[in-house]
Amino acid sequence: MNHDKLGSTGAAAAVLAAIVLLPAAAAAQVAGNGDAEVPRTAWGDPDLQGLWTSATLTPLERPVRQSERTLLTAEEAAAIEQESAAERAAADGKSAPGSVGGYNQVWLDAGTRIVGDLRTSLIVDPPEGVIPWRPEARRASARERARYGVGPFHSWTDLDTGERCLTDGLPNMVPIQPYNMNLRILQTPGQVAMLHEMYHELRVIPLDGRPRTGIAQWTGEARGRWEGDTLVVETINFVDKPDAYWSTPWRASRPGLRLVERFTRVGPAAIDYRFTVEDPAWFTRPWTASAPLTTDQASRGVAAGEMWEYACHEGNHAMINILGGARAEERAAARGGR
C-alpha cells in the first residue's frame, strides 16, 4: 500500500529507483555525535538505511506478574528465552491440536530474545508499562479482540483488516506479530522511504516541510523532520473506518489518532526507535513505547537474509475458506444439524 504517493504510483516508484541508485559513498561518511559516531549520508543527514528488525520476546505491555518491576534479571530473561525455545521445539512445525491452524511453526519467525536492557515491557511511559485506556475504549477493545477467530463471519468485512490483507495499522514496527518484523529504510535528501515487510506497506515520508494534503488514509499522512540526529515522523489524517475490524484495536485507523515516531541511530547496527500514541477519545494520556531496531538479525533469533515480497492477497485462501466454512455451518443448521 502506497501512502503519500507523491501524486502517483509511478512517482513513488521513481523515488525508490532514485534511492537505490544513490552512490555507494552515501553511507560512507561518518560524523561525530558526542561520544558516538553517527553514519552520515553524502548530503550530511544521519544514515538510517538498511534492513532492520524489531522482533523480540519483550511484550508491549508489562505482564501483571511483573507489575511492580521495570527490569528482569539476567537469569529471568534467560529462562523466558529458554521456555520459548522449548515451546517451538515441541511444536515441531505443527499447529496446535484441534486447530485448523494459520501459519504453522515452520513459517513463523518471531523474536527469541528479550531486549538488551531487559525491560519487562516495551512501553516506557506511563511508568506502569501499560496502555492508559479510557474505560469505554478498553471495553471496546476487549469486545473486538474476543471476536478474533470466532466470528460471526457474515461477509469479508467480518474478518480483521490483516486477514483482508489491508493493514494492521501503525505503528507497524511494534513487535506483536510472529513473523515479518522487517523494515527496509531508504533515503534521499528530501525524503525517507520505509518499506515494511508485512502487507508490503510502503511509506514515503517528505522531509521538505511541504503542507499536508489533508487526504485521510489507512495509515495516515506522514511528515518528517530532523531534530538533531533524530528523525521525527508525525502522522495524522487517519481515515475513519468505524466498521472495520482490527485484531489489535489500539492501532485502528481513526481521525483522532496522532502518532509521533523517533528514529535515532545509536550504533553500527542499532536504531533507538520510539513511538508516542495520542488519541484523547481512546486514552487518558499519550503513551510511549521503545522498540529497538537492529540489522543484526541473528541477535534477535530470527532468520537472517534479505526481505522478500509478502504477497498477501495472492495467497489469501483463508478468507475464502473462512467464509465458505461459515456458509457450510449455516446450511447444516438449516438442515437441523445434518
Side-chain angles (χ1 to χ4, degrees), residues 54-96:
S54 60
T56 179
L57 287 175
T58 303
L60 176 68
E61 295 189 89
R62 186 172 302 148
V64 174
R65 68 181 181 277
Q66 297 160 346
S67 60
E68 302 300 320
R69 304 177 56 199
T70 58
L71 298 176
L72 298 167
T73 65
E75 293 75 17
E76 289 170 329
I80 292 172
E81 292 172 353
Q82 290 168 5
E83 181 181 355
S84 175
E87 290 175 353
R88 292 193 307 277
D92 192 27
K94 300 180 179 64
S95 299

mmCIF file of all heavy atoms in Angstrom, residues 54-96:
data_model
loop_
_atom_site.group_PDB
_atom_site.id
_atom_site.type_symbol
_atom_site.label_atom_id
_atom_site.label_comp_id
_atom_site.label_asym_id
_atom_site.label_seq_id
_atom_site.Cartn_x
_atom_site.Cartn_y
_atom_site.Cartn_z
ATOM 1 N N SER A 54 12.625 -5.518 14.479
ATOM 2 C CA SER A 54 12.279 -5.167 15.861
ATOM 3 C C SER A 54 11.841 -6.395 16.649
ATOM 4 O O SER A 54 11.364 -6.272 17.784
ATOM 5 C CB SER A 54 11.134 -4.143 15.867
ATOM 6 O OG SER A 54 9.982 -4.674 15.237
ATOM 7 N N ALA A 55 11.992 -7.591 16.072
ATOM 8 C CA ALA A 55 11.488 -8.808 16.703
ATOM 9 C C ALA A 55 12.082 -9.002 18.096
ATOM 10 O O ALA A 55 13.291 -8.854 18.303
ATOM 11 C CB ALA A 55 11.818 -10.011 15.828
ATOM 12 N N THR A 56 11.241 -9.335 19.057
ATOM 13 C CA THR A 56 11.683 -9.560 20.432
ATOM 14 C C THR A 56 10.600 -10.302 21.198
ATOM 15 O O THR A 56 9.415 -10.287 20.821
ATOM 16 C CB THR A 56 11.991 -8.230 21.144
ATOM 17 O OG1 THR A 56 12.408 -8.496 22.493
ATOM 18 C CG2 THR A 56 10.762 -7.342 21.204
ATOM 19 N N LEU A 57 11.011 -10.962 22.281
ATOM 20 C CA LEU A 57 10.066 -11.597 23.196
ATOM 21 C C LEU A 57 9.492 -10.604 24.203
ATOM 22 O O LEU A 57 8.509 -10.914 24.884
ATOM 23 C CB LEU A 57 10.750 -12.736 23.967
ATOM 24 C CG LEU A 57 11.064 -14.012 23.183
ATOM 25 C CD1 LEU A 57 11.858 -14.985 24.054
ATOM 26 C CD2 LEU A 57 9.784 -14.676 22.689
ATOM 27 N N THR A 58 10.092 -9.442 24.318
ATOM 28 C CA THR A 58 9.598 -8.460 25.279
ATOM 29 C C THR A 58 8.200 -8.005 24.884
ATOM 30 O O THR A 58 7.994 -7.553 23.754
ATOM 31 C CB THR A 58 10.538 -7.248 25.353
ATOM 32 O OG1 THR A 58 11.858 -7.700 25.695
ATOM 33 C CG2 THR A 58 10.062 -6.248 26.396
ATOM 34 N N PRO A 59 7.228 -8.108 25.784
ATOM 35 C CA PRO A 59 5.853 -7.745 25.418
ATOM 36 C C PRO A 59 5.662 -6.239 25.363
ATOM 37 O O PRO A 59 6.418 -5.477 25.977
ATOM 38 C CB PRO A 59 5.022 -8.361 26.552
ATOM 39 C CG PRO A 59 5.945 -8.348 27.730
ATOM 40 C CD PRO A 59 7.319 -8.620 27.170
ATOM 41 N N LEU A 60 4.629 -5.811 24.620
ATOM 42 C CA LEU A 60 4.309 -4.384 24.584
ATOM 43 C C LEU A 60 3.947 -3.890 25.973
ATOM 44 O O LEU A 60 4.489 -2.884 26.445
ATOM 45 C CB LEU A 60 3.138 -4.127 23.632
ATOM 46 C CG LEU A 60 2.639 -2.679 23.574
ATOM 47 C CD1 LEU A 60 3.673 -1.768 22.945
ATOM 48 C CD2 LEU A 60 1.314 -2.597 22.834
ATOM 49 N N GLU A 61 3.025 -4.588 26.633
ATOM 50 C CA GLU A 61 2.586 -4.181 27.970
ATOM 51 C C GLU A 61 3.214 -5.082 29.034
ATOM 52 O O GLU A 61 3.471 -6.258 28.813
ATOM 53 C CB GLU A 61 1.066 -4.258 28.084
ATOM 54 C CG GLU A 61 0.334 -3.291 27.174
ATOM 55 C CD GLU A 61 -1.155 -3.253 27.483
ATOM 56 O OE1 GLU A 61 -1.563 -2.440 28.334
ATOM 57 O OE2 GLU A 61 -1.896 -4.036 26.868
ATOM 58 N N ARG A 62 3.420 -4.520 30.213
ATOM 59 C CA ARG A 62 4.037 -5.265 31.315
ATOM 60 C C ARG A 62 3.052 -6.306 31.847
ATOM 61 O O ARG A 62 1.906 -5.988 32.180
ATOM 62 C CB ARG A 62 4.429 -4.309 32.439
ATOM 63 C CG ARG A 62 5.205 -4.970 33.580
ATOM 64 C CD ARG A 62 5.719 -3.919 34.534
ATOM 65 N NE ARG A 62 6.554 -2.976 33.806
ATOM 66 C CZ ARG A 62 6.659 -1.677 34.117
ATOM 67 N NH1 ARG A 62 5.955 -1.174 35.118
ATOM 68 N NH2 ARG A 62 7.454 -0.897 33.414
ATOM 69 N N PRO A 63 3.467 -7.570 31.932
ATOM 70 C CA PRO A 63 2.591 -8.605 32.486
ATOM 71 C C PRO A 63 2.232 -8.311 33.940
ATOM 72 O O PRO A 63 3.011 -7.700 34.682
ATOM 73 C CB PRO A 63 3.449 -9.875 32.376
ATOM 74 C CG PRO A 63 4.448 -9.575 31.306
ATOM 75 C CD PRO A 63 4.741 -8.115 31.440
ATOM 76 N N VAL A 64 1.041 -8.756 34.332
ATOM 77 C CA VAL A 64 0.563 -8.500 35.697
ATOM 78 C C VAL A 64 1.539 -9.047 36.726
ATOM 79 O O VAL A 64 1.799 -8.410 37.760
ATOM 80 C CB VAL A 64 -0.839 -9.111 35.890
ATOM 81 C CG1 VAL A 64 -1.287 -8.995 37.344
ATOM 82 C CG2 VAL A 64 -1.848 -8.444 34.964
ATOM 83 N N ARG A 65 2.115 -10.200 36.458
ATOM 84 C CA ARG A 65 3.018 -10.812 37.439
ATOM 85 C C ARG A 65 4.273 -9.987 37.676
ATOM 86 O O ARG A 65 4.993 -10.212 38.655
ATOM 87 C CB ARG A 65 3.385 -12.229 36.993
ATOM 88 C CG ARG A 65 4.241 -12.287 35.740
ATOM 89 C CD ARG A 65 4.551 -13.720 35.331
ATOM 90 N NE ARG A 65 5.386 -13.794 34.154
ATOM 91 C CZ ARG A 65 4.941 -13.708 32.902
ATOM 92 N NH1 ARG A 65 3.649 -13.522 32.687
ATOM 93 N NH2 ARG A 65 5.774 -13.797 31.883
ATOM 94 N N GLN A 66 4.541 -9.038 36.775
ATOM 95 C CA GLN A 66 5.726 -8.188 36.922
ATOM 96 C C GLN A 66 5.329 -6.728 37.086
ATOM 97 O O GLN A 66 6.127 -5.824 36.811
ATOM 98 C CB GLN A 66 6.631 -8.348 35.695
ATOM 99 C CG GLN A 66 7.179 -9.760 35.538
ATOM 100 C CD GLN A 66 7.649 -10.051 34.120
ATOM 101 O OE1 GLN A 66 7.349 -9.305 33.195
ATOM 102 N NE2 GLN A 66 8.358 -11.152 33.950
ATOM 103 N N SER A 67 4.119 -6.488 37.562
ATOM 104 C CA SER A 67 3.552 -5.137 37.563
ATOM 105 C C SER A 67 4.373 -4.130 38.352
ATOM 106 O O SER A 67 4.320 -2.933 38.079
ATOM 107 C CB SER A 67 2.121 -5.175 38.109
ATOM 108 O OG SER A 67 2.109 -5.674 39.441
ATOM 109 N N GLU A 68 5.135 -4.591 39.324
ATOM 110 C CA GLU A 68 5.924 -3.678 40.150
ATOM 111 C C GLU A 68 7.375 -3.582 39.701
ATOM 112 O O GLU A 68 8.182 -2.935 40.367
ATOM 113 C CB GLU A 68 5.870 -4.136 41.623
ATOM 114 C CG GLU A 68 4.467 -4.217 42.205
ATOM 115 C CD GLU A 68 3.749 -2.871 42.164
ATOM 116 O OE1 GLU A 68 4.403 -1.851 42.422
ATOM 117 O OE2 GLU A 68 2.543 -2.860 41.864
ATOM 118 N N ARG A 69 7.707 -4.202 38.578
ATOM 119 C CA ARG A 69 9.105 -4.279 38.171
ATOM 120 C C ARG A 69 9.290 -3.749 36.751
ATOM 121 O O ARG A 69 8.512 -4.081 35.861
ATOM 122 C CB ARG A 69 9.604 -5.722 38.248
ATOM 123 C CG ARG A 69 9.432 -6.357 39.614
ATOM 124 C CD ARG A 69 9.883 -7.792 39.596
ATOM 125 N NE ARG A 69 11.262 -7.892 39.140
ATOM 126 C CZ ARG A 69 11.806 -9.007 38.685
ATOM 127 N NH1 ARG A 69 11.084 -10.109 38.572
ATOM 128 N NH2 ARG A 69 13.070 -9.026 38.304
ATOM 129 N N THR A 70 10.309 -2.955 36.562
ATOM 130 C CA THR A 70 10.600 -2.436 35.226
ATOM 131 C C THR A 70 11.643 -3.285 34.499
ATOM 132 O O THR A 70 11.718 -3.233 33.272
ATOM 133 C CB THR A 70 11.109 -0.988 35.301
ATOM 134 O OG1 THR A 70 12.288 -0.947 36.128
ATOM 135 C CG2 THR A 70 10.047 -0.070 35.914
ATOM 136 N N LEU A 71 12.432 -4.073 35.243
ATOM 137 C CA LEU A 71 13.508 -4.849 34.642
ATOM 138 C C LEU A 71 13.477 -6.293 35.105
ATOM 139 O O LEU A 71 13.077 -6.594 36.241
ATOM 140 C CB LEU A 71 14.881 -4.239 34.999
ATOM 141 C CG LEU A 71 15.170 -2.816 34.532
ATOM 142 C CD1 LEU A 71 16.520 -2.359 35.073
ATOM 143 C CD2 LEU A 71 15.143 -2.726 33.018
ATOM 144 N N LEU A 72 13.903 -7.185 34.221
ATOM 145 C CA LEU A 72 14.136 -8.575 34.570
ATOM 146 C C LEU A 72 15.580 -8.756 35.027
ATOM 147 O O LEU A 72 16.461 -7.952 34.686
ATOM 148 C CB LEU A 72 13.899 -9.482 33.360
ATOM 149 C CG LEU A 72 12.502 -9.505 32.749
ATOM 150 C CD1 LEU A 72 12.550 -10.206 31.393
ATOM 151 C CD2 LEU A 72 11.515 -10.184 33.679
ATOM 152 N N THR A 73 15.841 -9.809 35.756
ATOM 153 C CA THR A 73 17.226 -10.189 35.997
ATOM 154 C C THR A 73 17.731 -10.951 34.772
ATOM 155 O O THR A 73 16.938 -11.436 33.943
ATOM 156 C CB THR A 73 17.360 -11.089 37.235
ATOM 157 O OG1 THR A 73 16.689 -12.330 36.976
ATOM 158 C CG2 THR A 73 16.732 -10.424 38.467
ATOM 159 N N ALA A 74 19.035 -11.064 34.650
ATOM 160 C CA ALA A 74 19.597 -11.810 33.524
ATOM 161 C C ALA A 74 19.127 -13.266 33.556
ATOM 162 O O ALA A 74 18.868 -13.870 32.504
ATOM 163 C CB ALA A 74 21.123 -11.743 33.567
ATOM 164 N N GLU A 75 18.989 -13.816 34.750
ATOM 165 C CA GLU A 75 18.540 -15.208 34.889
ATOM 166 C C GLU A 75 17.078 -15.352 34.433
ATOM 167 O O GLU A 75 16.729 -16.333 33.772
ATOM 168 C CB GLU A 75 18.698 -15.666 36.337
ATOM 169 C CG GLU A 75 20.130 -15.788 36.831
ATOM 170 C CD GLU A 75 20.781 -14.440 37.121
ATOM 171 O OE1 GLU A 75 20.033 -13.431 37.252
ATOM 172 O OE2 GLU A 75 22.021 -14.392 37.202
ATOM 173 N N GLU A 76 16.228 -14.391 34.786
ATOM 174 C CA GLU A 76 14.831 -14.438 34.374
ATOM 175 C C GLU A 76 14.704 -14.322 32.862
ATOM 176 O O GLU A 76 13.902 -15.028 32.234
ATOM 177 C CB GLU A 76 14.048 -13.318 35.062
ATOM 178 C CG GLU A 76 13.839 -13.548 36.558
ATOM 179 C CD GLU A 76 13.272 -12.320 37.238
ATOM 180 O OE1 GLU A 76 13.581 -11.199 36.784
ATOM 181 O OE2 GLU A 76 12.542 -12.471 38.231
ATOM 182 N N ALA A 77 15.479 -13.420 32.263
ATOM 183 C CA ALA A 77 15.433 -13.255 30.817
ATOM 184 C C ALA A 77 15.869 -14.543 30.119
ATOM 185 O O ALA A 77 15.242 -14.981 29.140
ATOM 186 C CB ALA A 77 16.319 -12.097 30.390
ATOM 187 N N ALA A 78 16.923 -15.167 30.614
ATOM 188 C CA ALA A 78 17.402 -16.419 30.024
ATOM 189 C C ALA A 78 16.351 -17.514 30.147
ATOM 190 O O ALA A 78 16.152 -18.306 29.211
ATOM 191 C CB ALA A 78 18.701 -16.851 30.704
ATOM 192 N N ALA A 79 15.645 -17.547 31.277
ATOM 193 C CA ALA A 79 14.614 -18.568 31.474
ATOM 194 C C ALA A 79 13.458 -18.374 30.492
ATOM 195 O O ALA A 79 12.927 -19.349 29.949
ATOM 196 C CB ALA A 79 14.103 -18.522 32.917
ATOM 197 N N ILE A 80 13.055 -17.126 30.253
ATOM 198 C CA ILE A 80 11.982 -16.841 29.298
ATOM 199 C C ILE A 80 12.403 -17.267 27.897
ATOM 200 O O ILE A 80 11.622 -17.871 27.146
ATOM 201 C CB ILE A 80 11.620 -15.347 29.335
ATOM 202 C CG1 ILE A 80 10.961 -14.993 30.669
ATOM 203 C CG2 ILE A 80 10.700 -14.978 28.171
ATOM 204 C CD1 ILE A 80 10.739 -13.508 30.868
ATOM 205 N N GLU A 81 13.632 -16.962 27.518
ATOM 206 C CA GLU A 81 14.121 -17.336 26.195
ATOM 207 C C GLU A 81 14.194 -18.852 26.039
ATOM 208 O O GLU A 81 13.838 -19.400 24.982
ATOM 209 C CB GLU A 81 15.489 -16.704 25.964
ATOM 210 C CG GLU A 81 15.419 -15.184 25.851
ATOM 211 C CD GLU A 81 16.780 -14.518 25.811
ATOM 212 O OE1 GLU A 81 17.797 -15.218 26.008
ATOM 213 O OE2 GLU A 81 16.828 -13.298 25.583
ATOM 214 N N GLN A 82 14.625 -19.542 27.090
ATOM 215 C CA GLN A 82 14.708 -21.000 27.028
ATOM 216 C C GLN A 82 13.318 -21.631 26.942
ATOM 217 O O GLN A 82 13.101 -22.601 26.205
ATOM 218 C CB GLN A 82 15.459 -21.525 28.255
ATOM 219 C CG GLN A 82 16.940 -21.182 28.238
ATOM 220 C CD GLN A 82 17.618 -21.438 29.570
ATOM 221 O OE1 GLN A 82 17.005 -21.970 30.504
ATOM 222 N NE2 GLN A 82 18.891 -21.064 29.677
ATOM 223 N N GLU A 83 12.362 -21.084 27.693
ATOM 224 C CA GLU A 83 10.991 -21.593 27.646
ATOM 225 C C GLU A 83 10.398 -21.421 26.255
ATOM 226 O O GLU A 83 9.730 -22.315 25.728
ATOM 227 C CB GLU A 83 10.135 -20.869 28.675
ATOM 228 C CG GLU A 83 8.689 -21.339 28.715
ATOM 229 C CD GLU A 83 7.861 -20.580 29.730
ATOM 230 O OE1 GLU A 83 8.427 -19.746 30.470
ATOM 231 O OE2 GLU A 83 6.635 -20.815 29.785
ATOM 232 N N SER A 84 10.663 -20.255 25.636
ATOM 233 C CA SER A 84 10.168 -20.008 24.291
ATOM 234 C C SER A 84 10.779 -20.993 23.293
ATOM 235 O O SER A 84 10.082 -21.535 22.431
ATOM 236 C CB SER A 84 10.484 -18.566 23.873
ATOM 237 O OG SER A 84 10.126 -18.327 22.534
ATOM 238 N N ALA A 85 12.060 -21.243 23.427
ATOM 239 C CA ALA A 85 12.729 -22.188 22.530
ATOM 240 C C ALA A 85 12.170 -23.593 22.694
ATOM 241 O O ALA A 85 11.982 -24.323 21.711
ATOM 242 C CB ALA A 85 14.235 -22.179 22.794
ATOM 243 N N ALA A 86 11.873 -23.974 23.929
ATOM 244 C CA ALA A 86 11.327 -25.306 24.180
ATOM 245 C C ALA A 86 9.937 -25.454 23.578
ATOM 246 O O ALA A 86 9.587 -26.504 23.024
ATOM 247 C CB ALA A 86 11.278 -25.570 25.688
ATOM 248 N N GLU A 87 9.122 -24.398 23.656
ATOM 249 C CA GLU A 87 7.780 -24.439 23.070
ATOM 250 C C GLU A 87 7.851 -24.598 21.556
ATOM 251 O O GLU A 87 7.071 -25.350 20.967
ATOM 252 C CB GLU A 87 7.014 -23.171 23.443
ATOM 253 C CG GLU A 87 6.640 -23.099 24.919
ATOM 254 C CD GLU A 87 5.995 -21.781 25.277
ATOM 255 O OE1 GLU A 87 5.975 -20.872 24.397
ATOM 256 O OE2 GLU A 87 5.520 -21.624 26.417
ATOM 257 N N ARG A 88 8.786 -23.881 20.923
ATOM 258 C CA ARG A 88 8.918 -24.002 19.476
ATOM 259 C C ARG A 88 9.376 -25.393 19.082
ATOM 260 O O ARG A 88 8.909 -25.962 18.089
ATOM 261 C CB ARG A 88 9.891 -22.944 18.947
ATOM 262 C CG ARG A 88 9.385 -21.524 19.048
ATOM 263 C CD ARG A 88 10.245 -20.584 18.224
ATOM 264 N NE ARG A 88 11.657 -20.706 18.550
ATOM 265 C CZ ARG A 88 12.258 -20.101 19.563
ATOM 266 N NH1 ARG A 88 11.545 -19.328 20.371
ATOM 267 N NH2 ARG A 88 13.537 -20.241 19.784
ATOM 268 N N ALA A 89 10.314 -25.942 19.863
ATOM 269 C CA ALA A 89 10.808 -27.283 19.555
ATOM 270 C C ALA A 89 9.707 -28.322 19.721
ATOM 271 O O ALA A 89 9.588 -29.261 18.922
ATOM 272 C CB ALA A 89 11.992 -27.611 20.462
ATOM 273 N N ALA A 90 8.875 -28.143 20.753
ATOM 274 C CA ALA A 90 7.793 -29.097 20.997
ATOM 275 C C ALA A 90 6.750 -29.038 19.893
ATOM 276 O O ALA A 90 6.133 -30.053 19.546
ATOM 277 C CB ALA A 90 7.141 -28.814 22.352
ATOM 278 N N ALA A 91 6.528 -27.849 19.335
ATOM 279 C CA ALA A 91 5.550 -27.714 18.255
ATOM 280 C C ALA A 91 5.977 -28.479 17.012
ATOM 281 O O ALA A 91 5.145 -29.009 16.276
ATOM 282 C CB ALA A 91 5.343 -26.237 17.916
ATOM 283 N N ASP A 92 7.288 -28.547 16.772
ATOM 284 C CA ASP A 92 7.841 -29.350 15.678
ATOM 285 C C ASP A 92 7.148 -29.072 14.345
ATOM 286 O O ASP A 92 6.832 -29.979 13.573
ATOM 287 C CB ASP A 92 7.739 -30.838 16.021
ATOM 288 C CG ASP A 92 8.561 -31.703 15.053
ATOM 289 O OD1 ASP A 92 9.548 -31.186 14.498
ATOM 290 O OD2 ASP A 92 8.201 -32.866 14.850
ATOM 291 N N GLY A 93 6.867 -27.782 14.088
ATOM 292 C CA GLY A 93 6.297 -27.421 12.798
ATOM 293 C C GLY A 93 4.823 -27.665 12.662
ATOM 294 O O GLY A 93 4.271 -27.534 11.575
ATOM 295 N N LYS A 94 4.153 -28.024 13.776
ATOM 296 C CA LYS A 94 2.731 -28.348 13.685
ATOM 297 C C LYS A 94 1.889 -27.254 14.324
ATOM 298 O O LYS A 94 2.336 -26.526 15.200
ATOM 299 C CB LYS A 94 2.447 -29.677 14.391
ATOM 300 C CG LYS A 94 3.215 -30.884 13.820
ATOM 301 C CD LYS A 94 2.860 -32.135 14.571
ATOM 302 C CE LYS A 94 3.605 -33.345 14.008
ATOM 303 N NZ LYS A 94 5.052 -33.234 14.177
ATOM 304 N N SER A 95 0.637 -27.151 13.900
ATOM 305 C CA SER A 95 -0.319 -26.276 14.558
ATOM 306 C C SER A 95 -0.780 -26.925 15.851
ATOM 307 O O SER A 95 -0.605 -28.129 16.071
ATOM 308 C CB SER A 95 -1.518 -26.014 13.644
ATOM 309 O OG SER A 95 -1.106 -25.376 12.457
ATOM 310 N N ALA A 96 -1.388 -26.128 16.711
ATOM 311 C CA ALA A 96 -1.870 -26.642 17.982
ATOM 312 C C ALA A 96 -2.943 -27.701 17.759
ATOM 313 O O ALA A 96 -3.728 -27.611 16.813
ATOM 314 C CB ALA A 96 -2.431 -25.496 18.821
#
